[in-house]
Amino acid sequence: MIALRDVRKVYRQGETEVRALDGVTLDVAPGAFVSIMGPSGSGKSTLLHLMGGLDTPSAGEIVIDGTPISRMSDDELTIFRRRKIGFVFQFFNLLPTYTAEENVALPLVLDRRPARDVRRRVEEALERVGLAHRRRHRPDEMSGGEMQRVAIARALVIDPVLILADEPTGNLDTKTGDQILDLVQEANQARGCTVVLVTHDPRAAAHGGRVINFKDGTVVTVPA
């Protein structure tokens, strides 16, 4: 499902060269739920962004679902993300002037799906996360947990092959965070989505079946 081969990411800050990733080789099987842990600045979020095509590697190859995304143009990456990858971020990334249903519909609308298909998929996605009754509410009318549920519905509405979650419980209390992780886990188990979760919280990481530890841009351990 995911294959990384000697992936490197180097940033320049003036005269200084920062190696965010330093030769990462990693495989994630289809349908796996993998948690990536590490201290702040270890490179785990950089890795997630590269997997999602939100950034490009300085060197190495990244293959997602049989497609070498590290060779794609920006336009090709945009279409690939829109159709294959669901994102869940710590700060929700919802459009503040859009309702819940409009936020969830956005990737389908951008992909020019038929209106009837969009309505059906949005209704099903909001129902799945328990927010059908909040469909016409905007983010400032919802709690943090509700906003994250909308973000998960938006990730699920495209029927992704891969869900990438970057600290999805970082702004939530423990109980609400557990509920959010249960939804991600349910998508993994019931729908077969591959999940990669970035977190610094061992409780969150425990929802996955495999934990990968990161330090200084490299993999420390890769349990089988």
Side-chain angles (χ1 to χ4, degrees), residues 12-62:
R12 288 202 170 274
Q13 297 178 350
E15 297 292 321
T16 305
E17 185 178 88
V18 178
R19 292 182 172 272
L21 291 182
D22 195 11
V24 174
T25 293
L26 181 65
D27 290 292
V28 176
F33 187 147
V34 173
S35 300
I36 299 176
M37 293 192 68
S40 179
S42 62
K44 58 188 188 297
S45 289
T46 298
L47 177 68
L48 200 79
H49 290 169
L50 292 177
M51 286 180 177
L54 298 172
D55 201 353
T56 55
S58 303
E61 184 168 63
I62 302 171

Side-chain angles (χ1 to χ4, degrees), residues 169-180:
T169 62
N171 284 334
L172 306 175
D173 61 78
T174 300
K175 181 180 178 180
T176 304
D178 284 344
Q179 292 170 347
I180 293 301

Side-chain angles (χ1 to χ4, degrees), residues 43-119:
K44 58 188 188 297
S45 289
T46 298
L47 177 68
L48 200 79
H49 290 169
L50 292 177
M51 286 180 177
L54 298 172
D55 201 353
T56 55
S58 303
E61 184 168 63
I62 302 171
V63 177
I64 305 292
D65 196 32
T67 302
I69 67 169
S70 42
R71 303 176 193 172
M72 286 181 165
S73 68
D74 287 345
D75 288 344
E76 289 171 333
L77 274 173
T78 297
I79 294 170
F80 185 84
R81 286 195 304 266
R82 193 183 293 156
R83 295 178 178 175
K84 296 279 190 174
I85 303 175
F87 294 92
V88 184
F89 297 102
Q90 179 177 353
F91 296 104
F92 320 128
N93 285 21
L94 302 179
L95 294 177
T97 60
Y98 278 31
T99 63
E101 63 184 357
E102 289 169 336
N103 269 287
V104 174
L106 189 58
L108 300 176
V109 172
L110 291 174
D111 204 33
R112 298 180 180 179
R113 302 286 185 92
R116 181 180 298 178
D117 185 41
V118 172
R119 286 193 297 271

Side-chain angles (χ1 to χ4, degrees), residues 33-37 168-169 177-178 181-182 184-185 188-189 195 197-213:
F33 187 147
V34 173
S35 300
I36 299 176
M37 293 192 68
T169 62
D178 284 344
L181 289 168
D182 286 344
V184 175
Q185 194 169 43
N188 168 248
Q189 294 175 348
V195 175
L197 166 73
V198 160
T199 184
H200 66 277
D201 181 1
R203 281 175 54 89
H207 281 73
R210 175 185 175 199
V211 177
I212 298 171
N213 293 301

